[in-house]
Amino acid sequence: METTCLEPVVAKSQTGGLSEPLAVMAARAACALELSLQRFVLAGEQNLGHLELQAAQDVQELLRQALERGAQAKADATPPLCPVCQQKLTRLSAGHPRSFASRYGTITVKRTRGYCKRCRKWRVPADTALGLEESAGYSPAVQDMAALLASKMPVSEASAVLAHLTGVKLPPATLDREARRQGQRAREVRRQLDEQASGTKAVQPELVLEPYQMIIQMDAWNIRERDEWGKTQSLRREGREPERWHWVYTGTCFRLDHRGKTAGGRPVISERGFVATREGIEGLRGQLHAEALRRGLGQAAGALVIADGAVWIWRLADDRFKNARQRLDFYHAVQHLAAVGRALFGEDKDKLKGWLRPLVRQLKNQSALKVIHQLEELLEGLPAGAAAAAVQKEVDYFHEHQDRMDYRAGRQRGEPIGSGAIESTCRQAQCRFKRPGQYWSQEGDESLLCLETFWRNNRWHLLFPHTTFNPARN
């Protein structure tokens, strides 16, 4: 083999000369790969992972050059039209260079710049064509990786994982800034999608042969934020305790016919929508309604809202899902029965269990009214005091929710009687947002929550269209 074929692949553009043709660079890369194969066979301590890393390194410069030339060709072919209003640009000037990091290394593209008289702004059409219009110096693939990793793990870990898996090095602060920018963009896309779903011209899903029920569940969990950071002592001197914990309102919705069981009998949902927001109950109200419409609420034969006994949930349901049936989560109802038992038997767990079990079976398999009547009879025999007050409180609770306790009918229809789907959704979100030592700003946590819901709702491609590209079919 010729010695020149064993030299590392180095583009002449990096050494001061003209760039080599890609065919020549490909031949040099092939020679480097051949050498790597020979060394791999002779290196007894190396496994296939070593060869994978070496092979990627051998073709890195070839890929970078191909990417740069392709980007330049796309920029040269982009017509001088305003990407916003499509008007022809004036006062054109060419050759404006811009360098940005790609997954294969830094590339530089020269673009044409012009002025749009209608928008009264300077535009660079090639940036829009390349997906770089609002970029802070990173290609769409790097933007994609930064946003996804930051939504799944702390940015310090995300930075290290990104460098380990791809070789792309983004400092934690830079990665955080890019992820926040993508989160802001995701919030704008979400707003547009919600307006489309709730508008009069919303696109309805295709007609289905069998009627289905829509299941909607809601809950909330706490997140810690850095509001009034550094003012703790001064606030306390004024007699005010600084707030740190705030509610994240969360919802999920799915069609009942998308709910099934695994081989082991565990309930599973094949398709469902997710919503999580720090924009208050009003934010959840609009986002969850839009998500339910996208999932087929408009064509559902009926809807069922399942949740715990929080008043805000039922008010929201009455407002946005007026015709939906409502069901109190069965396990919350059992907790309130247990509260009666503790008022009666204190710490005697055996008596508590013996009293509670038949009532739970009756609540689940028969009628909530029978359970309520038994609690009322029990209350009549109690002397005035703390125990009677505790039982009265729970009796009032069951009266308030008795129309939401149709557990027997729900089970006969194959409907869930518990809110396990939303409980698990909240727990999964908290794994990212409630790690030790983490504080958030409302702007930051809303952006990352939005990215997370785009990912879980299988709409990531709306932010990064290249993720749906299949090179094999190109």
Side-chain angles (χ1 to χ4, degrees), residues 74-134:
K74 183 91 168 182
D76 293 341
T78 302
L81 302 177
C82 175
V84 176
C85 67
Q86 298 302 308
Q87 294 297 304
K88 189 173 181 178
L89 300 177
T90 60
R91 300 157 65 182
L92 299 175
S93 59
H96 293 273
R98 181 179 184 183
S99 297
F100 53 93
S102 75
R103 65 185 304 163
Y104 303 122
T106 301
I107 67 176
T108 300
V109 179
K110 295 181 179 180
R111 309 107 68 234
T112 296
R113 182 169 176 259
Y115 185 75
C116 178
K117 294 181 179 179
R118 175 177 290 182
C119 298
R120 296 182 179 181
K121 288 186 178 181
W122 290 93
R123 304 289 192 188
V124 182
D127 284 358
T128 301
L130 295 172
L132 303 168
E133 185 178 14
E134 298 178 357

Side-chain angles (χ1 to χ4, degrees), residues 125-157:
D127 284 358
T128 301
L130 295 172
L132 303 168
E133 185 178 14
E134 298 178 357
S135 171
Y138 306 101
S139 71
V142 176
Q143 297 172 37
D144 171 18
M145 292 185 287
L148 182 57
L149 285 172
S151 70
K152 299 298 181 183
M153 62 185 72
V155 292
S156 57
E157 295 180 24

Side-chain angles (χ1 to χ4, degrees), residues 287-300:
Q287 292 176 37
L288 184 57
H289 184 246
E291 184 62 32
L293 288 173
R294 283 190 290 267
R295 298 284 172 173
L297 175 64
Q299 291 188 329

Side-chain angles (χ1 to χ4, degrees), residues 20-219:
E20 292 178 316
L22 288 179
V24 174
M25 291 190 66
R28 290 165 61 83
C31 292
L33 285 170
E34 288 285 359
L35 180 58
S36 295
L37 293 177
Q38 296 171 20
R39 290 174 174 170
F40 171 69
V41 173
L42 297 176
E45 74 282 1
Q46 293 185 1
N47 59 32
L48 186 58
H50 294 82
L51 181 58
E52 289 176 296
L53 292 176
Q54 183 61 54
Q57 180 63 36
D58 290 340
V59 299
Q60 179 86 4
E61 179 59 21
L62 172 63
L63 295 173
R64 191 197 71 80
Q65 281 280 343
L67 195 66
E68 184 172 75
R69 297 183 197 185
Q72 186 62 63
K74 183 91 168 182
D76 293 341
T78 302
L81 302 177
C82 175
V84 176
C85 67
Q86 298 302 308
Q87 294 297 304
K88 189 173 181 178
L89 300 177
T90 60
R91 300 157 65 182
L92 299 175
S93 59
H96 293 273
R98 181 179 184 183
S99 297
F100 53 93
S102 75
R103 65 185 304 163
Y104 303 122
T106 301
I107 67 176
T108 300
V109 179
K110 295 181 179 180
R111 309 107 68 234
T112 296
R113 182 169 176 259
Y115 185 75
C116 178
K117 294 181 179 179
R118 175 177 290 182
C119 298
R120 296 182 179 181
K121 288 186 178 181
W122 290 93
R123 304 289 192 188
V124 182
D127 284 358
T128 301
L130 295 172
L132 303 168
E133 185 178 14
E134 298 178 357
S135 171
Y138 306 101
S139 71
V142 176
Q143 297 172 37
D144 171 18
M145 292 185 287
L148 182 57
L149 285 172
S151 70
K152 299 298 181 183
M153 62 185 72
V155 292
S156 57
E157 295 180 24
S159 176
V161 170
L162 180 63
H164 176 75
L165 293 179
T166 69
V168 176
K169 296 181 180 180
L170 289 184
T174 305
L175 191 149
D176 179 67
R177 185 167 56 251
E178 180 61 27
R180 286 173 181 267
R181 194 177 67 81
Q182 295 301 329
Q184 290 294 324
R185 191 165 67 91
R187 292 175 66 180
E188 176 59 23
V189 175
R190 181 184 67 186
R191 182 190 64 78
Q192 296 173 2
L193 292 174
D194 289 351
E195 288 179 354
Q196 293 172 4
S198 302
T200 56
K201 296 183 179 179
V203 178
Q204 295 292 340
E206 295 181 2
L207 292 174
V208 293
L209 298 178
E210 297 291 337
Y212 59 84
Q213 295 288 320
M214 179 65 66
I215 310 298
I216 301 164
Q217 300 186 11
M218 291 171 270
D219 206 346

